[in-house]
Amino acid sequence: MSPISDPISTTETTGLPTGHDYFSARRARVPRFIDRHFTWPGTLRLHGAALGWDILLAPINVMLSPVFVLTRIAAGLCDRIGMRRVAIWLSERRILLRTAVARRVELCIVTDLLDLSMPQGAAARDPDALSRAVLAAPQFREWIRARQSTADAQALGRSISEALGDYAGTRSAVAEITTALISLTLGALVFHALTPGMISMAPGIANAVAQTNAIAEFPMGQSLGGLWYGLFPTGAGPWLITATVTCLVMIGSVVAAFAGILVDPVQSRLGIHRRRLMRLIDTLEDELCGPGSKPFAAREHYYARLLDLWDAGASLLRLFRN
């Protein structure tokens, strides 16, 4: 590939908007895209893909999310101190498992918002399909030709694919936040306690189950059992707490897999989807037309980690009190 000093931003060679004109047109298309895919019934169609393995992948992604955050922090630090290769290697690690809903979101963005060509199901069959779709796009032809070498062009395709993957991955963080808020609400209403996660909620539920079982099995009847255990409450054993945590995690994974059905319309109304998509388009434009120094900021993962810290702190505080 030979470098081009001033890539065009017109429709002269392809008949399609390119460069900055292309991205201006994408920004204008964002409201229609949100109305089509992130409000009802669009979000219901989107989450139809969650019926399957996504329910199992959701808790795995919850466990992998801290690793994702740490790698992004490490990549940023390495970039600041001049370790550019290490920073690129870390930023290219795909930590989170791609769910079917995430793949469908990527496909919708590529075909409907970015107006690129990619067959249905191609991303599921081939992880490099998205990168190849970017490199083959006539809208990007002049900008890709401006790269110094084929390796640079392929790196560009991977960078754009990773930005789209990070955008789709924010949905798992939003699902975690939604699950934590549901847990917090239930804990406040039922147990009159702050339970920002399944771990902090588990002891309260386990103790309630243990108390109910003890009253039901009281030798002198449930009425006297209620009075006795009202004065001398019984606590749950470690096995019951472990079983309760396991059940709650399973329930939480189902909630996380379908949380977008509830929060997508809310995020659309609050303008969150619009701002997130605008950040994505800014990143893609910078990758193609600029220095490529504006990675997509997946802020939602950091918010979810704050809730994790709160959950762990609440659990430790309850443990020391007991």
Side-chain angles (χ1 to χ4, degrees):
M1 290 188 181
S2 59
I4 294 177
S5 58
D6 184 22
I8 62 173
S9 293
T10 66
T11 61
E12 293 176 1
T13 60
T14 64
L16 297 169
T18 61
H20 297 291
D21 292 340
Y22 167 81
F23 288 105
S24 296
R26 299 314 99 190
R27 291 185 180 92
R29 189 179 284 197
V30 164
R32 183 185 68 84
F33 179 85
I34 292 172
D35 289 342
R36 182 174 181 181
H37 297 290
F38 294 143
T39 58
W40 290 322
T43 187
L44 291 174
R45 292 194 299 269
L46 197 64
H47 285 82
L51 294 169
W53 290 106
D54 277 19
I55 296 174
L56 297 179
L57 293 179
I60 297 175
N61 279 335
V62 170
M63 292 184 288
L64 291 175
S65 291
V67 181
F68 172 85
V69 171
L70 290 174
T71 56
R72 291 303 186 265
I73 293 174
L77 292 174
C78 290
D79 187 56
R80 285 183 176 273
I81 63 177
M83 300 174 65
R84 181 68 176 168
R85 285 191 174 183
V86 177
I88 293 174
W89 185 86
L90 287 171
S91 63
E92 288 179 350
R93 298 310 95 192
R94 296 294 293 266
I95 306 299
L96 301 179
L97 301 178
R98 293 175 70 214
T99 62
V101 173
R103 287 197 298 268
R104 184 169 290 186
V105 169
E106 289 181 19
L107 181 64
C108 290
I109 291 174
V110 169
T111 58
D112 194 7
L113 182 61
L114 301 182
D115 202 19
L116 307 183
S117 177
M118 191 167 78
Q120 181 82 24
R125 295 190 301 269
D126 183 2
D128 296 325
L130 181 54
S131 178
R132 285 202 297 271
V134 170
L135 295 177
Q139 298 94 322
F140 303 155
R141 185 173 300 159
E142 295 301 325
W143 297 97
I144 291 172
R145 286 176 179 171
R147 300 288 154 167
Q148 297 289 338
S149 65
T150 302
D152 287 341
Q154 291 174 343
L156 172 66
R158 287 195 300 271
S159 296
I160 293 177
S161 175
E162 287 155 12
L164 290 168
D166 286 348
Y167 171 86
T170 59
R171 299 184 67 84
S172 65
V174 173
E176 288 183 66
I177 295 170
T178 304
T179 305
L181 292 176
I182 292 173
S183 172
L184 190 65
T185 302
L186 290 176
L189 293 176
V190 178
F191 302 109
H192 306 289
L194 294 176
T195 56
M198 296 302 178
I199 295 176
S200 56
M201 182 185 285
I205 294 179
N207 287 334
V209 172
Q211 184 89 344
T212 301
N213 289 339
I215 292 172
E217 296 174 359
F218 193 71
M220 301 178 67
Q222 293 186 18
S223 299
L224 291 176
L227 292 174
W228 177 262
Y229 287 112
L231 296 173
F232 306 101
T234 184
W239 288 108
L240 180 57
I241 293 177
T242 300
T244 304
V245 169
T246 303
C247 292
L248 289 178
V249 167
M250 294 174 63
I251 294 172
S253 68
V254 176
V255 172
F258 296 96
I261 295 175
L262 298 176
V263 297
D264 273 343
V266 175
Q267 292 181 93
S268 299
R269 179 62 63 90
L270 296 177
I272 296 173
H273 274 309
R274 179 184 177 279
R275 291 191 292 272
R276 194 181 297 141
L277 285 168
M278 290 299 184
R279 292 201 329 258
L280 174 64
I281 293 173
D282 288 345
T283 295
L284 299 183
E285 184 174 20
D286 185 67
E287 288 287 346
L288 277 161
C289 313
S293 58
K294 190 186 291 184
F296 178 76
R299 302 166 185 167
E300 291 79 2
H301 289 285
Y302 300 95
Y303 303 151
R305 301 291 69 77
L306 290 175
L307 287 171
D308 286 344
L309 291 174
W310 185 11
D311 188 22
S315 300
L316 288 174
L317 182 62
R318 187 176 292 106
L319 179 64
F320 286 124
R321 280 181 177 176
N322 295 333

